[in-house]
Amino acid sequence: MDKAALKTTADNLVKSGKGILAADESTGTAGKRLASIGMDNTEDNRRAMRDMFFSTSGAAEYISGVILFEETLGQDRVDGKHSFATDMMAHGVIPGIKVDKGLEDAFETGEKVTNGLDGLPERLAGYYQQGARFAKWRSVFSITDTLPSAACIAENCDRLARYAKMCQEAAIVPIVEPEMLMDASGAGHTIDQAYAATVRVHKALFKKLEEHGVYLGGVLLKPSMVIEGHACDVCTTTNDVAEMTVKCLKESVPADVAGVVFLSGGQADTQATEHLNIMNQIAEKQGGLPWPLSFSYGRALQGEALRAWGGREDALENARATFLHRAKMNSLATKGLYTADKEDGLCLGKCACA
Ligand code: 13P
């Protein structure tokens, strides 16, 4: 295992002011995003959607890497001149790849396990050849009075650790993503329940990573923020979420981990930005945390731009400006420098956030 190369990649992904774009929606999920703007789920439309984001001029200032779905990693851009991965590398953006094969019902409790370990070393070797230098594996956990169950935590964390080890042996940085679902049907858990469940899962995960000999300096953690479920009627403030999340990380994440890159999980775009911003302000007040806190957002980076685009050629420039603006706001949040008044206007020269 080349620890130095892994560390360099991991550090570059969380370099100051930068975060990750999660554009690795499976074909089915990409179809839902396209349907929301009245487009069919064809390969050309998926390519056009990805091209809109990836060819946004200036985004590389805020985006260090992009997580891709397998189809996109091997795909050419709309102009047919280069593959997406080649184009990204030319702009200093690191291509990544979602390697898990999705969720399966596996427990009497209704909880799910993540599949994808079969043949993974061979797939990783191919992804490396195509330019991928980091990967993602997502496990999901529901929170109730009795969940997540011990069996679900043990199995999913074991798979995350085995995936992480295989990645590192293939010179690919693993992102380990244990997602606490905040927007699953019926998710009515309180922030305190989210806190307890997240600590439990993180502790189990890092124990497994240690058992499997995973090098933490070459790992990124992609956690959920500690936040109540959508259906919870006990309100919390932005400060509560930020404080509880920082406290949870300090309690459950070893200092050697290279970085923490949050998922947005169904939060509104600006809410995800605000939470990250306050966490970084708290970190600074506390004299720094062992790891950079950044973003690996899917919906919270892409949603607004997708609506601005609507599949229309004449709306492309506006959609790209919308995406660039969101990326810039989140970049500011990684330094604790975001303020709501910077939301007025868009980038590409017309931006009030400059
Ligand atoms: P969201 O930010 O939309 O939650 O997506 C991030 C992700 O990669 C989920 O696996």
Side-chain angles (χ1 to χ4, degrees):
M1 180 194 302
D2 184 347
K3 289 188 177 177
L6 291 166
K7 175 128 194 66
T8 301
T9 301
D11 288 346
N12 281 336
L13 286 166
V14 287
K15 222 176 190 165
S16 175
K18 293 195 183 192
I20 296 170
L21 166 64
D24 59 322
E25 298 85 1
S26 63
T27 304
T29 306
K32 285 187 205 157
R33 304 282 183 265
L34 288 166
S36 75
I37 54 169
M39 292 178 79
D40 292 335
N41 191 11
T42 62
E43 184 177 348
D44 277 349
N45 285 346
R46 292 192 294 276
R47 181 204 314 269
M49 174 171 71
R50 264 72 197 237
D51 200 274
M52 188 259 287
F53 289 109
F54 304 165
S55 59
T56 296
S57 167
E61 203 180 320
Y62 315 117
I63 301 292
S64 55
V66 182
I67 315 175
L68 303 169
F69 191 60
E70 198 170 27
E71 173 184 87
T72 322
L73 181 63
Q75 208 171 34
D76 281 344
R77 285 200 45 198
V78 168
D79 66 12
K81 288 189 189 145
H82 306 284
S83 72
F84 281 121
T86 309
D87 208 58
M88 276 173 202
M89 289 186 280
H91 289 91
V93 174
I94 307 172
I97 176 80
K98 169 193 168 78
V99 303
D100 70 69
K101 292 283 184 189
L103 308 169
E104 184 193 351
D105 288 330
F107 303 95
E108 282 175 4
T109 53
E111 294 166 288
K112 296 182 190 305
V113 78
T114 304
N115 284 324
L117 290 173
D118 288 347
L120 184 55
E122 293 75 22
R123 286 199 285 131
L124 288 167
Y127 298 144
Y128 187 94
Q129 290 301 324
Q130 288 175 289
R133 292 295 177 272
F134 72 105
K136 170 186 126 174
W137 178 290
R138 171 178 178 254
S139 295
V140 299
F141 300 92
S142 296
I143 305 174
T144 68
D145 289 344
T146 53
L147 302 181
S149 68
C152 172
I153 294 175
E155 185 59 32
N156 275 301
C157 290
D158 191 64
R159 292 183 185 204
L160 275 162
R162 287 196 279 150
Y163 138 83
K165 182 71 177 172
M166 289 177 197
C167 284
Q168 293 193 331
E169 280 167 356
I172 286 181
V173 167
I175 294 184
V176 290
E177 180 180 1
E179 176 170 0
M180 308 293 141
L181 295 170
M182 66 176 277
D183 63 352
S185 67
H189 56 270
T190 63
I191 193 168
D192 289 330
Q193 286 179 301
Y195 182 92
T198 310
V199 168
R200 250 177 95 209
V201 170
H202 284 179
K203 286 191 171 172
L205 173 61
F206 287 105
K207 191 159 174 281
K208 285 285 183 190
L209 291 174
E210 190 187 341
E211 277 169 27
H212 286 269
V214 174
Y215 165 56
L216 294 184
V219 167
L220 297 178
L221 173 68
K222 177 162 175 167
S224 314
M225 295 181 197
V226 174
I227 190 165
E228 70 275 15
H230 272 185
C232 176
D233 50 17
V234 185
C235 292
T236 53
T237 65
T238 312
N239 272 317
D240 294 334
V241 172
E243 276 169 20
M244 298 268 283
T245 305
V246 170
K247 186 164 176 272
C248 164
L249 295 177
K250 286 169 79 173
E251 190 176 335
S252 62
V253 182
D256 291 347
V257 171
V260 173
V261 288
F262 291 98
L263 60 94
S264 59
Q267 296 181 48
D269 304 358
T270 51
Q271 195 188 17
T273 307
E274 278 170 24
H275 284 145
L276 180 62
N277 189 56
I278 297 181
M279 281 190 259
N280 277 303
Q281 290 176 347
I282 293 172
E284 190 166 324
K285 273 190 215 131
Q286 295 185 355
L289 297 174
W291 348 261
L293 303 183
S294 185
F295 57 89
S296 174
Y297 296 158
R299 285 163 286 178
L301 272 172
Q302 299 178 111
E304 212 180 324
L306 209 54
R307 287 188 288 280
W309 176 45
R312 298 185 313 275
E313 185 71 31
D314 64 355
L316 263 178
E317 196 197 339
N318 191 39
R320 288 189 176 124
T322 304
F323 170 56
L324 190 66
H325 176 78
R326 207 66 255 135
K328 183 171 181 175
M329 295 300 98
N330 284 302
S331 165
L332 289 168
T334 65
K335 300 176 183 172
L337 297 176
Y338 167 79
T339 48
D341 61 347
K342 294 190 168 74
E343 292 290 354
D344 308 333
L346 292 175
C347 293
L348 293 188
K350 298 167 237 159
C351 187
C353 65

